[in-house]
Amino acid sequence: MFPDANTGYTYEDCKATADWLLTQTGLSPLVGIVCGSGLGGLADLLKDQVVFNYKDIPNFPQSTVHGHAGRLVFGTLKGRACVCMQGRFHLYEGYPIQKITLPMRIFKLLGVETVLMTNAAGGLNQDFKVGDVMIIKDHLNMPGLAGNNPLSGPNDERFGVRFPCMSDAYDRELQQLALDVGQDLGYGDFLREGVYCVLGGPSFETIAECRMLSKLGADAVGMSTVHEVIVARHCGMRVLALSLITNQAVMDYDSEEKANHEEVLETGKQRAEQLERLISTMVARIEHNNNYV
Ligand SMILES: O=P(O)(O)O[C@H]1O[C@H](CO)[C@@H](O)[C@H]1O
Ligand SMILES: Nc1nc2[nH]cnc2c(=O)[nH]1
């Protein structure tokens, strides 16, 4: 379970991949986007695309999950240079945790300052409905609490400090911007804020686990994002993360509901257009001197 120090990539490995990408694209993006399960349509909005299949990128893992296309898309969104992961990596795919978070360090070395992430998640908060979009304000990192943290192993100060702070993991100004943009677009009815809990997966939660996570303060549960957030914050990028509530977590022994990936992808399809508009409007309003227009 504990990552071997040797499974990490060196700064030079990451730099070689970033330089390889920069040479091919000539585009230095300020915004990086990570698409969750079934939410990869966002990448299709980029203009003047340069696309790489993950299998062609040096050091990159492969996407193995349905709903994660496995393409890195460079281009412009609302005139801003962006790079978009159409598909992310998860612990349950069997990759070491340093490997699933490698793209965050590549983002940093490409020049990215702001990372916008999406994911599909189960709703634990009884006030949430399927189709709600939760702005993540904090997380519970279950694999991390058990010792599986992407920063385990030797620390390279060129990326960041040995003991990074996580009380400011989710940028408060970006959260406010998401709320403002959501209100402007008329999405107030389905926009929520809350705490995301990451588990290892791939099995969904038992009823007792859902009840426990809810008591611990989690509003939504999933199998991703947090590892990427930790690595992105370690190297100084600002982060906003959004959870699409694709299913209600089952909390009741009388319930007939059963969590399944098909429902997750189906809800993604239904809300994709609004999520894409929310993110692309945010991209247009992010300023990179740390201000927002
Ligand atoms: O978090 P993303 O990548 O959106 O995917 C979520 O959806 C899958 C389960 O349906 C899991 O991989 C879970 O983490
Ligand atoms: N762990 C977990 N991940 C999800 N991804 C989408 N829905 C869920 C869920 O209910 N549980």
Side-chain angles (χ1 to χ4, degrees), residues 120-123 199 203-205 221-223 246-247 249 259 264:
L199 303 180
S203 49
F204 288 108
E205 299 67 45
V221 58
M223 309 171 196
T246 52
N247 55 291
V264 168

Side-chain angles (χ1 to χ4, degrees), residues 130-152:
V130 169
D132 283 352
V133 172
M134 182 184 88
I135 300 167
I136 302 182
K137 64 175 186 194
D138 205 346
H139 68 228
L140 288 173
N141 179 3
M142 294 307 187
L145 294 177
N148 197 3
N149 186 300
L151 303 178
S152 294

Side-chain angles (χ1 to χ4, degrees), residues 146-164:
N148 197 3
N149 186 300
L151 303 178
S152 294
N155 186 60
D156 191 324
E157 296 276 336
R158 286 173 289 182
F159 285 120
V161 297
R162 173 74 287 187
F163 300 109

